[in-house]
């Protein structure tokens, strides 16, 4: 078990300026259950392979418990890694596959037997222990692959790279729960890579959102939802994602076309600093207030269409020439006439060139 610290990490596969990872500083605390979430191609596997030592970074350092491990091989780093596709020895039995990492360590046969049976039980592989791996289904092979990652409890960390891709949907949920249980039981640092926000939120206590080779926010699922530090987090987390509306500065806040959105004085001071290419107001569809009558701060909008999703409704609206969405509970009637919108101050975020503007302390 170890704290994993990444310092000024950068990587380019070509050696040129096309960086797959850019200027990454990050700490995975010892014993945590973390997710690394981001779209395909954002650099998740690159980062994982640098941590495990399969890949040498072009720049920067990886430290385990404060000790640089850049020069160490994957074996020396003592990391278990589970990949997207199963890695099993086809000619060996399931038992031998699971026992392999332990035999390599020279563990006593009796203890191996106990550990293998324990992990087989957790992953529901017990009936298959005597079977050769080549005769297994893709699901089963992946479970064996995961078992090989989980069987050792002396590892510095376990890294999972989209491990449930080949797993049947009904099994996915179950396996995710199991991984969480295993984490609670052994308290090993785990980093779980996925492009699925639900998967990330069910597994992890804290999620690192990755975009364009950088970690743009590291927080609890709630923090990512309520206070996205980067407009990409707003857009990527939530369904649908955050509304991002182009605005212009005004002394008491920002303007959205003809409309004025007042902001607290401390934030107005930030807006007054200026210098951004793009200034956006962000508000999640869940937090947009929808009224049927005008009031002081409500903004007249046009309702374009409504999607009824059973337990809630999504309204698509137009406000000052820009599209946005609002989410209504199922019992709320959709206004038949004119629509007025309210943006409650606590949920209205401001982004300058994609970064959240915070009031200076
Ligand atoms: P993710 O796992 O998030 O989908 P990757 O880490 O695999 O992303 O890839 C990040 C970027 O690096 C992508 O642009 C990808 O095309 C590029 N890349 C990944 N592996 C290699 C490689 N072996 N050689 C060259 N480019 C690569
Ligand atoms: Mg990948």
């Amino acid at each position: 078990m170890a704290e994993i610290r990444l310092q000024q990490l950068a990587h380019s596969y070509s050696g040129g300026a096309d960086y797959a990872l850019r200027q990454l500083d990050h700490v995975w605390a010892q014993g945590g259950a973390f997710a690394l979430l981001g779209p395909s191609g954002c650099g998740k596997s690159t980062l994982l392979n640098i941590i495990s030592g399969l890949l040498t970074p072009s720049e920067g350092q990886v430290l385990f418990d404060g000790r640089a491990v850049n020069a160490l091989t994957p074996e020396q780093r003592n990391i278990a890694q589970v990949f997207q596709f199963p890695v099993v020895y086809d000619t060996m039995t399931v038992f031998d596959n699971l026992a392999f990492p332990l035999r390599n360590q020279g563990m006593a046969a009796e203890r191996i037997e106990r550990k293998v049976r324990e992990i087989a039980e957790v992953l529901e592989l017990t009936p298959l222990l005597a079977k050769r791996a080549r005769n297994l289904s893709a699901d089963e092979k992946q479970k064996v692959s995961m078992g090989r990652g989980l069987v050792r409890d002396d590892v510095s960390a376990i890294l999972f790279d989209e491990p449930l891709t080949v797993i049947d949907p009904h099994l996915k949920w179950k396996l995710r729960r199991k991984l969480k249980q295993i984490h609670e039981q052994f308290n090993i640092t785990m980093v779980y890579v996925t492009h699925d926000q639900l998967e990330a939120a069910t597994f992890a206590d804290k999620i690192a959102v990755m975009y364009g080779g950088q970690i743009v926010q590291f927080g609890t699922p709630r923090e990512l939802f309520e206070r996205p530090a980067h407009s990409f987090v707003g857009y990527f987390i939530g369904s649908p994602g955050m509304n991002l509306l182009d605005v212009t500065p005004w002394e008491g806040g920002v303007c959205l076309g003809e409309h004025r959105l007042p902001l607290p004085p401390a934030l107005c001071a930030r807006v007054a600093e200026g210098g951004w290419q793009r200034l956006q107001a962000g508000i999640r569809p869940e937090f947009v207030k929808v009224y049927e009558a005008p009031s002081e701060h409500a903004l007249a909008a046009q309702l374009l269409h409504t999607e009824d999703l059973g337990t809630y409704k999504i309204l698509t609206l137009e406000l000052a020439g820009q599209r946005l969405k609002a989410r209504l509970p199922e019992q709320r009637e959709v206004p038949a006439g004119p629509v007025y919108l309210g943006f409650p101050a606590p949920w209205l975020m401001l982004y300058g060139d994609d970064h959240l503007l915070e009031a200076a302390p």
Side-chain angles (χ1 to χ4, degrees), residues 44-45 84 161-162:
K44 304 182 296 296
S45 296
Q84 199 165 0
D161 196 350
E162 313 215 29

Side-chain angles (χ1 to χ4, degrees), residues 6-279:
L6 311 172
Q7 266 175 0
Q8 296 281 301
L9 214 57
H11 189 69
S12 159
Y13 284 98
S14 65
D18 52 341
Y19 282 92
L21 290 186
R22 295 183 290 138
Q23 286 296 321
L24 217 139
D25 281 279
H26 189 74
V27 179
W28 307 103
Q30 190 232 286
F34 304 111
L36 184 58
L37 172 69
S40 177
C42 72
K44 304 182 296 296
S45 296
T46 302
L47 182 55
L48 226 53
N49 293 341
I50 287 175
I51 295 174
S52 67
L54 291 175
L55 193 62
T56 305
S58 322
E59 294 161 35
Q61 285 208 312
V62 179
L63 300 107
F64 289 1
D65 288 331
R67 196 168 58 103
V69 295
N70 282 43
L72 302 185
T73 63
E75 294 73 36
Q76 289 167 326
R77 293 186 194 194
N78 201 20
I79 288 252
Q81 192 168 3
V82 179
F83 300 92
Q84 199 165 0
F85 299 102
V87 182
V88 293
Y89 299 109
D90 268 341
T91 57
M92 288 187 193
T93 62
V94 170
F95 185 100
D96 288 340
N97 264 284
L98 295 175
F100 193 81
L102 305 177
R103 286 187 180 135
N104 267 352
Q105 286 180 286
M107 190 183 276
E110 226 169 274
R111 197 154 160 237
I112 291 178
E113 174 93 21
R114 188 158 50 78
K115 294 279 333 169
V116 167
R117 294 204 173 270
E118 184 181 301
I119 212 71
E121 202 53 40
V122 171
L123 292 170
E124 295 172 19
L125 288 169
T126 308
L128 303 176
L129 281 173
K131 240 184 167 178
R132 291 208 187 275
R134 90 163 75 85
N135 299 323
L136 303 178
S137 67
D139 277 13
E140 291 166 344
K141 280 190 185 178
Q142 184 65 349
K143 286 208 281 181
V144 174
S145 214
M146 288 171 75
R148 291 189 10 187
L150 295 165
V151 76
R152 290 170 52 198
D153 51 21
D154 65 329
V155 289
S156 303
I158 309 181
L159 311 179
F160 299 92
D161 196 350
E162 313 215 29
L164 304 181
T165 308
V166 297
I167 301 280
D168 212 56
H170 78 273
L171 244 182
K172 265 188 189 178
W173 188 82
K174 219 161 130 182
L175 280 180
R176 223 157 47 213
R177 282 296 317 150
K178 292 225 180 277
L179 284 181
K180 193 146 178 89
Q181 278 168 17
I182 292 169
H183 178 262
E184 280 156 12
Q185 202 173 336
F186 298 107
N187 223 24
I188 299 175
T189 313
M190 290 189 181
V191 181
Y192 186 102
V193 165
T194 177
H195 59 266
D196 180 332
Q197 52 173 311
L198 248 142
E199 205 164 302
T202 42
F203 173 75
D205 308 321
K206 273 184 106 174
I207 301 173
V209 181
M210 215 171 159
Y211 172 65
Q214 288 186 306
I215 291 177
V216 287
Q217 190 170 5
F218 184 48
T220 63
R222 184 174 177 160
E223 285 162 353
L224 300 180
F225 186 79
E226 294 188 348
R227 252 189 117 62
H230 189 281
S231 61
F232 178 77
V233 178
Y235 154 83
F236 194 66
I237 304 275
S239 169
M242 184 179 237
N243 296 301
L244 291 158
L245 304 164
D246 287 317
V247 293
T248 50
W250 153 62
E251 61 189 17
V254 291
C255 288
L256 179 64
E258 303 281 279
H259 302 290
R260 285 176 165 187
L261 302 180
L263 293 171
L267 207 51
C268 291
R270 285 301 314 274
V271 172
E273 287 168 23
W276 302 284
Q277 304 279 338
R278 188 170 204 191
L279 192 62

